[in-house]
Amino acid sequence: MKLIYIITTIIILLFIYHRYHSDYMIYIDDFLKDNDLNDLKNHIKNNNNIKRNRNNLLTKTLNTDIFYKIKYINKISEIVGKNIYKSDIPTEYRLYDKSQGMNWHSDVLLYEIPQYECVYTLSNDSDSTTDYIDHWGFHHKIWTKPNSLMIVRADGYLHGVNPVNKGKREIVKLIYTPTDKINKRNINAYNMALNGIT
């Protein structure tokens, strides 16, 4: 009888966890179709607007709607369980090479409803991993494959990127949002992101 109670409690806790935290961190392999992946690579190659951001990463602001095609919008909406839309925050290419990473942080709530900050891995032959701590306090490490998409819900899990010791990692950062209502408490952070200052 005691064993049945323990198993039932575990099942209930897992159900609650999944229901309330299932959209906090999502990893998808093989995200872009081949033709869209080729278009993205060509767009990045032909974009000479390169600069360094505050984390000293080489970046390019991208003018592409590849990730916002209806097939991808529908796919992400289904996965996160709510309708999402293109954010006004620019899509950005970033290159991580030796000794570059990102400190532990939780993404700032830019909208009234948490946005989904996404990292699409274009190429990765590095030893760098993306780490996060879930609601149970467990530490996870993910080596992101090329053509994968990692979705992180804003104001959610603490996460960071371990420095690159060998190789390099190319990513595209983009945002999906369930609302166009800006979080006025974080308007400065929103304006910085809008102007590519991240």
Side-chain angles (χ1 to χ4, degrees):
M1 194 65 156
K2 189 175 182 181
L3 181 61
I4 292 172
Y5 173 76
I6 292 169
I7 291 170
T8 304
T9 302
I10 290 170
I11 290 170
I12 290 169
L13 286 173
L14 287 173
F15 174 78
I16 291 168
Y17 174 81
H18 179 75
R19 170 142 188 208
Y20 293 104
H21 305 127
S22 62
D23 67 340
Y24 275 49
M25 185 72 70
I26 299 165
Y27 179 79
I28 306 169
D29 280 329
D30 303 317
F31 185 70
L32 290 182
K33 302 296 181 190
D34 287 344
N35 58 327
D36 292 325
L37 177 54
N38 290 333
D39 288 347
L40 178 63
K41 287 178 178 177
N42 287 331
H43 180 73
I44 292 168
K45 182 180 175 182
N46 295 325
N47 181 336
N48 296 318
N49 181 25
I50 197 158
K51 62 180 180 180
R52 288 203 178 266
N53 71 1
R54 291 189 308 172
N55 294 315
N56 203 31
L57 300 176
L58 286 175
T59 67
K60 298 180 182 184
T61 299
L62 303 180
N63 184 21
T64 177
D65 281 335
I66 288 171
F67 292 95
Y68 302 111
K69 290 184 174 182
I70 194 69
K71 62 187 172 185
Y72 300 127
I73 290 282
N74 288 343
K75 182 174 184 175
I76 300 299
S77 293
E78 185 177 335
I79 289 169
V80 301
K82 54 181 68 99
N83 291 327
I84 52 95
Y85 311 95
K86 175 183 177 181
S87 167
D88 289 332
I89 308 298
T91 301
E92 188 179 73
Y93 164 88
R94 295 180 181 177
L95 171 64
Y96 287 81
D97 54 18
K98 198 162 186 181
S99 299
Q100 293 175 329
M102 188 170 289
N103 292 331
W104 285 95
H105 66 286
S106 180
D107 292 324
V108 175
L109 198 62
L110 301 177
Y111 294 87
E112 288 188 4
I113 301 171
Q115 76 273 8
Y116 294 97
E117 306 242 352
C118 301
V119 171
Y120 172 81
T121 301
L122 188 64
S123 71
N124 190 5
D125 62 2
S126 78
D127 59 344
S128 176
T129 58
T130 300
D131 293 14
Y132 70 94
I133 297 172
D134 67 20
H135 274 77
W136 300 105
F138 293 119
H139 186 155
H140 303 265
K141 283 184 177 293
I142 299 176
W143 182 83
T144 58
K145 296 179 186 176
N147 198 26
S148 67
L149 186 76
M150 179 172 279
I151 304 169
V152 181
R153 198 182 93 160
D155 201 32
Y157 292 156
L158 276 175
H159 58 283
V161 179
N162 286 311
V164 172
N165 295 305
K166 61 180 181 180
K168 67 178 183 178
R169 178 174 174 252
E170 294 178 285
I171 63 121
V172 174
K173 187 171 185 302
L174 64 137
I175 294 176
Y176 296 106
T177 178
T179 180
D180 61 355
K181 293 179 180 167
I182 299 163
N183 180 357
K184 293 189 171 115
R185 293 185 306 277
N186 292 325
I187 192 68
N188 288 339
Y190 177 86
N191 286 331
M192 287 174 69
L194 196 61
N195 292 303
I197 306 169
T198 56

